[in-house]
Amino acid sequence: MDFHLSEEQVLVAGCKKNESWARKKLYEHYAPAMLGVCVRYTNDYEKAKDVLHEGFIKIFVKINTYSGEGSLSGWMRRIFVTTALEFLRADFPLRYMDDVIDSKDKIETNEVSAVEKLSAEDILKCISELPKGCGLVFNMYAIEGYSHAEIARMLNIKEGTSRSQFAHAKQLLQQKIQELHIHTNAKNKYG
């Protein structure tokens, strides 16, 4: 029987005892990744830092509820997503997101090849330029992996609205990616 604790287990145990060294190490290890989550939701670095700060406060307050089942980073990510959504609710009335009608829900073959030629940075930039409502749903569904039912509950919207916003986001992304692909090809061709 192995009695050695992993570094993560030691950090969690230290945080549960309110040890400042453990909190500092946990913060240093997870802050860069969680800041990325916060930026993706706020589209603003300064606001994302505020969300990051609030999220870590919640992590340290709720650390005793972490049972060790599932990954710590996954548990933390859910707290940061929830914190970002709370921040957005104060800044943007999510309940007024309207259904988007007649959104195309397919990806054309040439758009797939366009995506393959773009960098991850270009794709993330396109996602960050989506309108708030559909960009939020896109992040939650496509990146975080929430179901439309979960998104509807979290945002206090209809499940159909979530699906519609996601379809609209995909349509807008397809257009943005195609435009970026055309621009990149022209730039490469004509220098």
Side-chain angles (χ1 to χ4, degrees):
M1 188 179 238
D2 186 13
F3 290 101
H4 296 286
L5 295 175
S6 73
E7 184 178 354
E8 187 176 273
Q9 290 170 319
V10 171
L11 286 177
V12 169
C15 287
K16 286 182 177 184
K17 293 178 184 175
N18 293 321
E19 299 283 346
S20 60
W21 65 267
R23 287 180 172 191
K24 182 179 185 226
K25 267 193 113 62
L26 189 79
Y27 180 88
E28 289 171 351
H29 182 74
Y30 288 101
M34 296 306 149
L35 181 60
V37 171
C38 299
V39 168
R40 209 171 51 248
Y41 279 90
T42 62
N43 288 329
D44 180 300
Y45 186 74
E46 292 303 315
K47 288 179 183 177
K49 288 192 315 189
D50 292 341
V51 172
L52 182 74
H53 177 74
E54 289 298 317
F56 269 105
I57 289 171
K58 288 180 182 180
I59 296 292
F60 298 135
V61 167
K62 296 180 178 191
I63 194 73
N64 287 322
T65 66
Y66 176 64
S67 65
E69 292 183 25
S71 75
L72 177 62
S73 64
W75 178 79
M76 290 175 66
R77 178 182 287 271
R78 287 187 84 79
I79 290 175
F80 280 100
V81 168
T82 302
T83 304
L85 293 177
E86 290 168 356
F87 183 84
L88 290 173
R89 277 188 199 103
D91 199 36
F92 176 68
L94 298 173
R95 66 181 178 274
Y96 298 114
M97 274 197 293
D98 292 326
D99 289 332
V100 178
I101 302 171
D102 297 328
S103 293
K104 295 177 186 172
D105 201 11
K106 64 179 187 174
I107 299 176
E108 301 295 330
T109 306
N110 63 339
E111 290 167 343
V112 171
S113 63
V115 169
E116 292 171 354
K117 294 177 183 175
L118 295 176
S119 70
E121 185 177 312
D122 289 335
I123 294 170
L124 288 173
K125 184 177 185 305
C126 289
I127 293 169
S128 74
E129 293 172 351
L130 289 171
K132 277 188 178 183
C134 65
L136 178 60
V137 170
F138 184 86
N139 273 319
M140 293 179 75
Y141 184 81
I143 297 173
E144 301 296 338
Y146 290 104
S147 70
H148 287 295
E150 290 172 314
I151 295 169
R153 272 193 312 277
M154 292 171 82
L155 300 181
N156 196 25
I157 59 175
K158 296 179 212 163
E159 190 172 334
T161 301
S162 177
R163 291 180 189 283
S164 177
Q165 289 289 324
F166 180 69
H168 184 59
K170 283 180 21 179
Q171 180 184 12
L172 290 174
L173 274 177
Q174 290 169 7
Q175 292 169 358
K176 287 179 179 294
I177 288 169
Q178 191 64 31
E179 290 167 8
L180 188 58
H181 177 67
I182 290 168
H183 176 73
T184 302
N185 280 346
K187 187 176 174 184
N188 290 339
K189 188 175 182 179
Y190 300 110

